[in-house]
């Protein structure tokens, strides 16, 4: 069963106890205490919200100058800096920001697990902004690993989690570009880490091992179990050499929605509607397997991508908590039948799996008490103190039509 993270200080007046587990949500956003490594203060505010509050005291102009000084004092041989690039809203924004600062970036992409048509279009747009290198690891080996990881640890995106760290770093070493830029620090944006981890500015091999989503699977084991030639796994390994992987969110006031707005002005294309199982149409547009990944997370932990996005908008004042609940509670955790218009059957066929096999995997990884609790509208009120559901029909917000 999911680990349930309790309050540091202990007011439990509005918790729900299910099969001996205490279940509750952040008083401010929608995160449940089943989220790994999250913690709450005495006011029942989660670590993600607390980390966001601390940003208000940061001198962002000074941090921007520090960022430029860091790049200028560590110039690359052919480019000033390397940007780890998915082609999505955030990496597009990163490239635009570097160009605005007078830097010459090289975008490096580790091709995603199952690239969508829209993902291909947005990757092609990167070449209109800067030099762009795309690297695609051995596809048969990758499909083997994706299927195995889904079966064994419930994560179809294991390869992607590995390669987004390793490939840009390897290219940086080989091209003698000391600085690699990543987006936001996940511990800062999503609260998934012990106190103090939200201040992380660098991505290191130790960070990848602890927070990189590897779930205990080792490359050496995969080679033996799946009979994969080790040479096909070399791109998954962190390189030796001079490379500094930097979270750009440590130097700029990170905002995924604002990044998407800027990116669209520079050729990034949004999905024409809301992404299935999520909110709005501006993120997670490249990998067709994302819907499966997010659904398994809901089955394991009782929250999906819609809660991530809604909670981000709550912190930034674009949604009230009531509006966010209205948007989320019928979308989060919906079993995927399509993603970006492609059927689940076709997505699973790419890794040699049937829908029946997928449903058996889902059943095996489902934490039923947590899922039953999280699927109820009433669960959003625990530790919020409301006894009535949010009013229907009042889901207007500052993002509204511009994000649809």
């Amino acid at each position: 069963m999911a680990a349930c993270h309790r309050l540091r200080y202990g007011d439990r007046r509005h918790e729900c106890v299910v099969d001996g587990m205490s279940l509750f949500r952040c008083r401010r956003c929608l995160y449940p205490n089943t989220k790994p490594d999250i913690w709450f203060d005495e006011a029942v505010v989660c670590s993600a919200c607390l980390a966001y509050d601390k940003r208000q005291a940061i001198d962002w102009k000074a941090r921007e100058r520090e960022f430029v000084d860091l790049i200028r004092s560590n110039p690359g041989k052919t480019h000033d800096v390397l940007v780890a690039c998915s082609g999505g809203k955030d990496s597009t924004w990163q490239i635009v920001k570097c160009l605005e600062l007078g830097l010459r970036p090289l975008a490096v992409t580790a091709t995603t697990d199952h690239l969508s048509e829209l993902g291909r279009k947005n990757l092609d747009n990167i070449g209109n902004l800067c030099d762009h290198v795309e690297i695609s690891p051995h596809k048969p080996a990758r499909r083997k690993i994706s299927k195995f990881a889904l079966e064994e640890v419930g994560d179809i995106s294991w390869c992607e989690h590995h390669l987004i760290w390793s490939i840009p770093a390897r290219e940086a070493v080989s091209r003698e570009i000391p600085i690699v830029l990543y987006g936001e620090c996940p511990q800062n944006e999503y609260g998934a880490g012990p106190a103090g981890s939200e201040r992380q500015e660098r991505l290191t091999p130790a960070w990848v091992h602890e927070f990189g989503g590897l779930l205990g699977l080792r490359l050496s084991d995969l080679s033996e179990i799946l009979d994969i030639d080790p040479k096909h796994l070399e791109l998954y390994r962190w390189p030796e050499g001079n490379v500094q992987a930097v979270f750009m969110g440590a130097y700029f006031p990170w905002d995924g929605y604002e990044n998407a707005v800027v990116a669209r002005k520079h050729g990034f294309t949004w999905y024409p509607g809301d992404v299935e199982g999520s909110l709005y149409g501006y993120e997670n547009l490249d990998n067709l397997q994302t819907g499966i990944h997010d659904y398994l997370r809901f089955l394991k932990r009782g929250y999906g991508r819609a809660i991530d996005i809604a909670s981000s908008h709550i912190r930034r004042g674009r949604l009230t908590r009531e509006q966010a609940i209205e948007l989320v509670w019928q979308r989060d955790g919906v079993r995927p039948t399509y993603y970006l218009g492609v059927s689940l059957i076709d997505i699973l066929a790419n890794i040699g799996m049937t829908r029946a096999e997928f449903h058996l995997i889902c059943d095996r990884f489902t934490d039923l008490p947590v899922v039953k609790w999280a699927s109820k509208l009433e669960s959003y009120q625990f530790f919020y103190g409301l006894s009535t559901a949010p009013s229907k029909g009042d889901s207007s917000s500052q993002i509204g039509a511009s994000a649809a």
Side-chain angles (χ1 to χ4, degrees):
M1 289 186 175
C4 295
H5 299 267
R6 293 177 176 271
L7 289 171
R8 282 185 160 189
Y9 300 94
D11 177 2
R12 307 200 195 289
R13 287 172 297 172
H14 300 285
E15 70 181 340
C16 176
V17 179
V18 178
D19 288 358
M21 297 183 296
S22 298
L23 302 175
F24 57 87
R25 296 184 187 271
C26 176
R27 184 186 296 273
R28 186 183 301 174
C29 75
L30 304 182
Y31 275 148
N33 66 318
T34 53
K35 180 177 172 63
D37 296 322
I38 201 167
W39 54 270
F40 299 79
D41 72 358
E42 68 276 12
V44 204
V45 176
C46 76
S47 47
C49 289
L50 294 171
Y52 181 77
D53 289 346
K54 292 177 182 177
R55 298 185 193 183
Q56 314 313 310
I58 295 175
D59 184 344
W60 290 110
K61 287 294 184 182
R63 293 297 283 162
E64 180 178 308
R65 291 192 294 270
E66 291 177 32
F67 173 80
V68 174
D69 289 343
L70 174 66
I71 306 302
R72 294 297 190 196
S73 60
N74 294 274
K77 187 174 182 180
T78 60
H79 297 76
D80 293 316
V81 68
L82 188 151
V83 177
C85 176
S86 69
K89 60 179 175 53
D90 293 328
S91 50
T92 302
W93 177 86
Q94 289 173 266
I95 291 165
V96 170
K97 177 56 68 174
C98 286
L99 293 171
E100 289 176 350
L101 296 172
L103 303 173
R104 186 187 180 204
L106 171 67
V108 172
T109 297
T111 306
T112 195
D113 293 306
H114 192 171
L115 188 63
S116 68
E117 290 184 6
L118 186 52
R120 177 77 271 161
K121 180 178 180 180
N122 283 325
L123 275 178
D124 289 343
N125 179 62
I126 297 298
N128 296 322
L129 302 174
C130 68
D131 294 337
H132 182 208
V133 174
E134 187 174 350
I135 297 176
S136 299
H138 187 251
K139 292 182 180 180
R142 186 169 184 164
R143 285 192 287 267
K144 270 188 178 182
I145 297 172
S146 294
K147 183 178 181 181
F148 178 80
L150 179 57
E151 293 170 338
E152 296 300 317
V153 296
D155 187 4
I156 195 173
S157 300
W158 189 90
C159 291
E160 179 165 281
H161 295 157
H162 225 302
L163 293 166
I164 59 175
W165 314 126
S166 62
I167 283 181
R170 295 177 69 88
E171 283 296 294
V173 170
S174 67
R175 294 173 180 273
E176 300 182 44
I177 305 173
I179 306 292
V180 179
L181 298 181
Y182 287 90
E184 75 278 37
C185 172
Q187 286 66 52
N188 189 285
E189 184 68 19
Y190 305 112
S197 62
E198 76 280 359
R199 297 191 295 272
Q200 188 90 13
E201 296 182 5
R202 300 290 187 272
L203 188 156
T204 64
W207 184 95
V208 173
H209 179 75
E210 184 174 0
F211 300 116
L214 306 186
L215 303 175
L217 294 183
R218 298 182 301 182
L219 290 175
S220 57
D221 295 336
L222 294 176
S223 178
E224 294 177 9
I225 294 170
L226 301 178
D227 192 25
I228 296 175
D229 190 326
K231 70 183 181 184
H232 294 316
L233 299 177
E234 194 59 31
L235 289 175
Y236 293 77
R237 302 187 190 281
W238 190 271
E240 295 182 3
N242 178 29
V243 58
Q244 298 182 57
V246 175
F247 290 122
M248 204 164 169
Y251 297 91
F252 298 89
W254 198 263
D255 187 330
Y257 172 71
E258 288 298 331
N259 291 354
V261 172
V262 171
R264 183 160 60 176
K265 294 177 181 177
H266 292 83
F268 173 75
T269 301
W270 293 23
Y271 187 62
D274 296 344
V275 174
E276 298 90 337
S278 184
L279 299 181
Y280 312 120
Y282 59 78
E283 71 162 40
N284 288 338
L285 306 181
D286 56 335
N287 186 357
L288 291 173
Q289 296 176 356
T290 299
I292 293 173
H293 171 268
D294 291 348
Y295 181 60
L296 263 293
R297 186 176 69 170
F298 180 85
L299 296 182
K300 295 176 184 179
R301 304 294 186 183
Y303 76 101
R305 190 58 183 165
I307 279 183
D308 286 329
I309 299 172
S311 295
S312 173
H313 286 307
I314 290 171
R315 293 182 200 111
R316 291 162 174 83
R318 288 191 287 261
L319 287 176
T320 66
R321 195 175 191 277
E322 291 81 1
Q323 289 169 340
I325 293 170
E326 176 72 13
L327 289 170
V328 162
W329 73 278
Q330 292 187 7
R331 302 190 194 195
D332 217 40
V334 175
R335 177 170 287 188
T337 55
Y338 286 84
Y339 193 76
L340 301 179
V342 179
S343 74
L344 175 66
I345 293 174
D346 289 339
I347 296 170
L348 290 171
N350 183 258
I351 61 169
M353 182 176 288
T354 67
R355 184 166 58 179
E357 291 171 329
F358 173 66
H359 289 166
L360 288 175
I361 291 170
C362 291
D363 290 344
R364 183 155 51 88
F365 282 100
T366 298
D367 189 331
L368 194 56
V370 168
V371 168
K372 284 184 175 179
W373 173 80
S375 299
K376 295 178 180 179
L377 179 60
E378 291 78 11
S379 76
Y380 291 93
Q381 314 308 331
F382 286 104
F383 274 99
Y384 185 49
L386 296 181
S387 59
T388 58
S391 59
K392 297 283 184 180
D394 181 23
S395 57
S396 60
S397 69
Q398 295 181 30
I399 35 184
S402 65

